[in-house]
Amino acid sequence: MLTIGEFAQMTHLSVRTLRRYHEAGLLEPARVDPSSGYRYYDAAQIPTAQVISKLRELDVPLADVRQILLTQDPAARATLVTEHLQRLEDQLARTQAAVASLHRLLRPGPAGVAVELRQVPAQLVATVEDTVAHTDVLAWYAGAMAELDAVVRETVGPPGGLYDNALFTRGRGHVSVHVPIAAPVPAVGRVRSTELPGAELAVAVHAGVHDTIDVTYGELGRWVADHTLAVAGPVRETYLLGPRDTPVAAHWRTEIGWPVFRVTGAG
Amino acid sequence: MLTIGEFAQMTHLSVRTLRRYHEAGLLEPARVDPSSGYRYYDAAQIPTAQVISKLRELDVPLADVRQILLTQDPAARATLVTEHLQRLEDQLARTQAAVASLHRLLRPGPAGVAVELRQVPAQLVATVEDTVAHTDVLAWYAGAMAELDAVVRETVGPPGGLYDNALFTRGRGHVSVHVPIAAPVPAVGRVRSTELPGAELAVAVHAGVHDTIDVTYGELGRWVADHTLAVAGPVRETYLLGPRDTPVAAHWRTEIGWPVFRVTGAG
DNA sequence: CGCAACCCTCCCCCTGCGGGAGGGTGCACA
DNA sequence: TGTGCACCCTCCCGCAGGGGGAGGGTTGCG
């Protein structure tokens, strides 16, 4: 039987942290003296404490750590851990993208994004839509696109997507993926035929991988504001050239279109 | 002039977040209406907002972001940013170490660390000591070791270190590095000659890189507790074989010694 | 003028940890 | 059998950086 202080020393955790883990139901002391409330730990609990410690170093939330600890089956447990490692990899990718954006933003001189105003007509599309979290967009997109591919035989243009603004500002929002079509397709699975309404779009083209697409977004936003326009509705991305067209990422072309209207008020 | 909502839409930040950045002095609105308190932004502020956003994605604290934004000189600014990128790399290394430890901990079966009790005599050493933060230990160690190398001509054994427990449980503690010597060396810089007191040590040897050294620590702690011993004083590491001896990390050998004493009380 | 959409401030909540106050326990030593 | 001290307890507050929501003022279109 070890006192909390001794156990802290063995596990390189602080006494406070051990108490918190007890409170959170992560690491129950082997014995709690009913009269004094003193916590006593067993040496056999050291590995458990270390697993918690390592998971915390990986920023796994306490609730998820508890879930992992409660999972007895080694295979199921490994699955849970792998999910978190996957999350770490995603985060790493996002970090690298942020670094790339940052470099481009801090590079002196304007980014020099060409913007044009364009009136686009209504277009019949096959679409898949949903409300998703910002972090899940990529995975969702892949699934939705695969579903579209399976249903739609003939397209009359490059695929695109609509991204509700709440996706960015609230971390969750309405998203849809579409391909333009000449005639309606039958509703299969999540695929629907609908009309993408016409609009006046402020359009910019982003070249290369999406790592630094925010810079293009920013320039587009600046242009829109500078031309006394206001944004009306979700942003439209059109994938003129993407991974399905060429493996050379530098050749990719993404068109960003922001529906705008002229502000009637002040100049 | 953009309202906060419009500006939020352009920058993909939430209205709340923009207000917080204003409050924190990171992004002052171009104009604040004195009567209504409404914030109005200029399109030219979009790139600034994006820089903030990207730095935040890299977990740069708001205070440091402000520092970076206030730095006009591009070179000085680049230095500040690079410092944070360095921090990210360190964190990545720690993450990888944690993943390695975790895998080893979750592998079924005991880790099988051999522990022995050993009485070590007092030893004259040349030492460098300081109080440092846990995250700085590696860098500090390299500097201290270099200083020892420069001063001490002849050693009579492998180098070692003492690590105060507070280093782990409080994130900051007393640390010292030493090499055993036959005769005192003159005090130069931070180097001092002193006697490392004799002690009864519970000793385990960790093989390979330090990524998974916590597992060995845990096993050692378990052994100590199982043998009704208690820890008395800072842990001692001895670098039997290290990077200065062989470039093959798998061959490295680190001896971990925990000063212990027999518990007189209950069994 | 009415009304909806927007904006304001203020307060509380979340996560995971640390500091410190105020008070009870355990145990060696005299 | 004290006595002293290190240890332990609970409870409250702080930090970062953000979200939710209440309650109330502004803006601007129809």
Side-chain angles (χ1 to χ4, degrees):
Chain A
M1 281 301 171
L2 301 161
T3 66
I4 195 169
E6 291 164 340
F7 193 72
Q9 201 160 34
M10 313 254 110
T11 56
H12 290 166
L13 290 166
S14 77
V15 169
R16 295 198 93 86
T17 300
L18 286 173
R19 283 203 271 255
R20 201 185 325 278
Y21 290 171
H22 177 199
E23 195 180 357
L26 287 189
L27 188 61
E28 194 82 15
R31 191 170 76 82
V32 178
D33 188 300
S35 73
S36 69
Y38 276 31
R39 297 169 177 85
Y40 295 96
Y41 294 82
D42 197 279
Q45 297 183 284
I46 292 177
T48 308
Q50 288 193 312
V51 169
I52 298 175
S53 163
K54 292 301 153 193
L55 288 172
R56 284 298 306 136
E57 280 183 40
L58 301 179
D59 277 330
V60 176
L62 290 187
D64 296 19
V65 173
R66 181 171 48 197
Q67 197 55 48
I68 290 171
L69 292 177
L70 287 176
T71 305
Q72 297 294 332
D73 177 41
R77 180 186 290 211
T79 305
L80 287 176
V81 171
T82 305
E83 275 172 20
H84 281 286
L85 296 183
Q86 183 60 52
R87 193 180 46 71
L88 282 178
E89 290 213 8
D90 295 351
Q91 193 181 15
L92 179 61
R94 263 177 281 130
T95 298
Q96 287 168 343
V99 169
S101 271
L102 194 57
H103 276 140
R104 185 148 167 195
L105 280 166
L106 292 180
R107 211 165 46 189
V113 173
V115 181
E116 66 173 60
L117 204 57
R118 185 190 304 166
Q119 187 72 41
V120 299
Q123 170 66 52
L124 187 66
V125 294
T127 184
V128 172
E129 53 186 309
D130 205 348
T131 297
V132 299
H134 188 215
T135 50
D136 302 336
V137 166
L138 256 69
W140 179 86
Y141 182 89
M145 200 62 220
E147 208 168 326
L148 275 181
D149 278 346
V151 172
V152 182
R153 294 287 163 81
E154 212 167 334
T155 68
V156 296
L162 264 59
Y163 300 93
D164 189 80
N165 194 58
L167 183 68
F168 307 107
T169 58
R170 300 204 181 197
R172 185 174 183 77
H174 197 249
V175 167
S176 75
V177 174
H178 61 256
V179 287
I181 50 178
V185 297
V188 176
R190 296 180 295 171
V191 178
R192 295 290 177 274
S193 297
T194 182
E195 194 184 78
L196 187 62
E200 185 159 29
L201 298 182
V203 171
V205 173
H206 175 80
V209 289
H210 283 198
D211 284 8
T212 60
I213 203 165
D214 310 73
V215 180
T216 307
Y217 263 99
E219 288 301 310
L220 182 56
R222 179 135 68 142
W223 188 92
V224 167
D226 281 346
H227 288 71
T228 45
L229 298 167
V231 173
V235 67
R236 302 182 181 190
E237 290 188 356
T238 308
Y239 308 105
L240 305 175
L241 287 173
R244 31 167 53 199
D245 304 304
T246 166
V248 186
H251 292 170
W252 295 350
R253 290 291 179 278
T254 305
E255 191 177 271
I256 306 172
W258 227 326
V260 292
F261 63 93
R262 202 156 294 279
V263 175
T264 59
Chain B
M1 279 303 172
L2 300 160
T3 66
I4 196 170
E6 290 165 340
F7 193 71
Q9 200 160 31
M10 313 254 109
T11 56
H12 290 167
L13 290 165
S14 78
V15 169
R16 293 199 96 85
T17 300
L18 285 173
R19 283 203 272 254
R20 202 185 323 277
Y21 291 171
H22 177 200
E23 195 180 357
L26 285 189
L27 188 63
E28 194 81 15
R31 191 171 77 84
V32 178
D33 187 300
S35 71
S36 69
Y38 276 31
R39 297 168 177 85
Y40 295 96
Y41 294 81
D42 196 280
Q45 298 182 283
I46 292 176
T48 308
Q50 287 192 312
V51 169
I52 298 174
S53 163
K54 291 302 153 191
L55 288 171
R56 284 299 306 135
E57 279 182 42
L58 302 178
D59 277 329
V60 176
L62 291 187
D64 296 20
V65 172
R66 183 171 46 196
Q67 196 56 49
I68 290 171
L69 291 177
L70 287 176
T71 306
Q72 295 297 331
D73 177 42
R77 181 185 290 209
T79 306
L80 288 176
V81 172
T82 306
E83 275 171 21
H84 280 287
L85 296 183
Q86 183 59 50
R87 193 179 48 69
L88 282 178
E89 289 211 10
D90 294 351
Q91 192 182 13
L92 179 62
R94 264 177 280 131
T95 298
Q96 286 168 343
V99 169
S101 271
L102 192 58
H103 276 141
R104 186 149 167 192
L105 280 167
L106 291 180
R107 212 167 42 191
V113 172
V115 181
E116 67 173 59
L117 206 57
R118 184 191 306 166
Q119 187 73 39
V120 298
Q123 170 65 51
L124 187 66
V125 293
T127 184
V128 172
E129 54 186 308
D130 205 347
T131 297
V132 298
H134 188 215
T135 49
D136 303 336
V137 166
L138 256 71
W140 180 88
Y141 181 89
M145 201 62 219
E147 208 167 328
L148 275 180
D149 277 346
V151 172
V152 183
R153 295 287 163 80
E154 213 166 332
T155 68
V156 296
L162 264 60
Y163 299 93
D164 189 78
N165 194 58
L167 183 68
F168 307 107
T169 58
R170 299 201 182 201
R172 184 174 184 78
H174 197 249
V175 168
S176 74
V177 174
H178 62 254
V179 287
I181 50 179
V185 296
V188 176
R190 295 181 295 172
V191 177
R192 296 288 177 274
S193 297
T194 184
E195 195 184 77
L196 188 63
E200 185 159 30
L201 298 182
V203 171
V205 173
H206 175 79
V209 289
H210 283 198
D211 283 7
T212 60
I213 204 166
D214 310 73
V215 180
T216 309
Y217 263 98
E219 289 301 310
L220 182 56
R222 180 135 69 141
W223 188 92
V224 167
D226 281 346
H227 288 72
T228 46
L229 298 167
V231 173
V235 67
R236 303 182 182 190
E237 289 189 358
T238 309
Y239 307 104
L240 306 176
L241 286 174
R244 29 165 55 198
D245 303 304
T246 166
V248 186
H251 293 170
W252 296 349
R253 290 291 179 274
T254 304
E255 192 177 271
I256 305 173
W258 227 328
V260 292
F261 63 93
R262 204 156 292 280
V263 175
T264 58

